Amino acid sequence: MADPVLDIRGISKHFGGFTALSNVDLQVGEGERLGLIGPNGSGKTTMINCISGALTNDEGEILFQGRNINGMPAHKRTRLGIARSFQIPKPFASMTVLQNVAIPLEYAGRREGRRSIDDQAREIVESMRLGNLVDTSAGALNQIELRKLELARAMAASPRLLISDEAMAGLSGNEVDEILDILFLVNQRGVAVIMIEHIMRAVMRFSERIVVLDAGSKIAEGLPETIVNNPDVERAYLGE
Ligand code: ADP
Ligand code: MG
């Protein structure tokens, strides 16, 4: 990989005596689409929390665009260009869709020239296919609309890396395709994407490369077609 946007070297994370991540390496290239999979409890969300700064890794190092971000608080990582969507969306329910995107935009402080925050927010909302709901309060959205809003809020920070944590869980087949289209669109704009997903059809279609975690360790890494035929991966999932 020529120039990784994210370079994780041997990170570990312990919760008391329990090891959630054990000496994991992970690289993501500029503009790459990476699938991160593994059975429940294998450490995927913990990994994302260590990357975003919600948690601090106990060992190892995390470099973002060549810069060591170990110990850096989450809001600074956001400003550097790391964005994540949460498994359970938590928008401001009483605010409109537009306001929910305007807030992180304001916060990211990346005002583009003279364009107002509202104009920029509107553009993001439209590109996330929520244009018909700009003035709807977030509390009135259904599941897929909430997932799209979650991605719109993440995109407000103009990330170089977007981490999508199970943005498709519980959605119908057509809805999964809608979210996939949005993530492809984001990626076409040059944003590297880590997709964490249990829906194999979606991960296989989306990912250029897949990394598999099991019980806090990386057990496989490679092209989607080699991962599906990997006996260690099959064993990890059968044991679930
Ligand atoms: P995944 O996202 O792959 O399902 P997680 O990263 O959420 O897995 O969890 C990995 C393991 O770490 C699980 O056994 C989980 O119970 C444990 N864990 C996660 N967060 C905490 C925490 N804050 N305190 C204690 N244990 C945790
Ligand atoms: Mg998880």
Side-chain angles (χ1 to χ4, degrees):
M1 188 179 304
D3 237 347
V5 64
L6 182 72
D7 186 0
I8 297 178
R9 300 176 181 173
I11 66 164
S12 300
K13 180 68 194 173
H14 312 284
F15 296 113
F18 177 79
T19 300
L21 288 176
S22 175
N23 193 25
V24 180
D25 291 325
L26 180 81
Q27 279 79 38
V28 183
E30 286 279 359
E32 191 182 18
R33 297 188 305 276
L34 180 84
L36 180 60
I37 66 172
N40 277 321
S42 56
K44 303 181 297 297
T45 298
T46 302
M47 182 81 155
I48 288 347
N49 285 335
C50 288
I51 298 169
S52 70
L55 290 174
T56 308
N57 42 297
D58 298 314
E59 288 144 43
E61 286 182 328
I62 303 180
L63 281 77
F64 184 70
Q65 294 185 311
R67 177 172 172 178
N68 194 327
I69 59 168
N70 253 21
M72 185 183 281
H75 69 272
K76 287 199 178 151
R77 299 187 195 202
T78 305
R79 285 189 186 172
L80 283 184
I82 299 175
R84 59 95 56 94
S85 71
F86 286 88
Q87 217 166 334
I88 298 159
K90 291 183 194 101
F92 301 106
S94 64
M95 293 187 189
T96 67
V97 165
L98 193 74
Q99 287 165 337
N100 265 284
V101 177
I103 290 167
L105 257 179
E106 194 100 51
Y107 183 74
R110 297 202 186 174
R111 191 181 288 266
E112 292 169 14
R114 296 220 184 99
R115 293 176 64 221
S116 71
I117 292 284
D118 269 12
D119 281 354
Q120 293 177 55
R122 196 174 297 271
E123 189 184 300
I124 293 170
V125 166
E126 279 167 8
S127 68
M128 297 294 132
R129 319 263 160 80
L130 284 170
N132 54 331
L133 297 167
V134 269
D135 297 321
T136 303
S137 74
L141 301 182
N142 65 26
Q143 265 311 308
I144 178 148
E145 292 159 354
L146 281 170
R147 302 300 171 91
K148 289 181 186 175
L149 177 58
E150 185 66 12
L151 291 173
R153 285 166 55 77
M155 287 308 292
S158 316
R160 299 304 305 157
L161 171 68
L162 173 70
I163 306 165
S164 163
D165 194 357
E166 300 203 28
M168 301 169 180
L171 299 182
S172 73
N174 287 339
E175 290 171 337
V176 165
D177 288 340
E178 273 188 70
I179 299 290
L180 260 181
D181 283 351
I182 290 174
L183 291 175
F184 270 114
L185 184 91
V186 163
N187 178 249
Q188 277 156 18
R189 294 178 178 179
V191 180
V193 179
I194 300 178
M195 176 191 280
I196 298 179
E197 203 51 68
H198 272 300
I199 301 168
M200 280 304 152
R201 172 179 75 82
V203 191
M204 291 296 156
R205 218 185 101 195
F206 186 76
S207 309
E208 296 169 287
R209 195 162 59 91
I210 292 180
V211 167
V212 189
L213 290 181
D214 185 32
S217 295
K218 183 164 78 177
I219 60 161
E221 176 169 21
L223 298 171
E225 54 267 34
T226 65
I227 291 296
V228 278
N229 295 315
N230 182 314
D232 291 337
V233 176
E234 195 178 344
R235 213 170 295 126
Y237 275 92
L238 286 176
E240 193 171 16

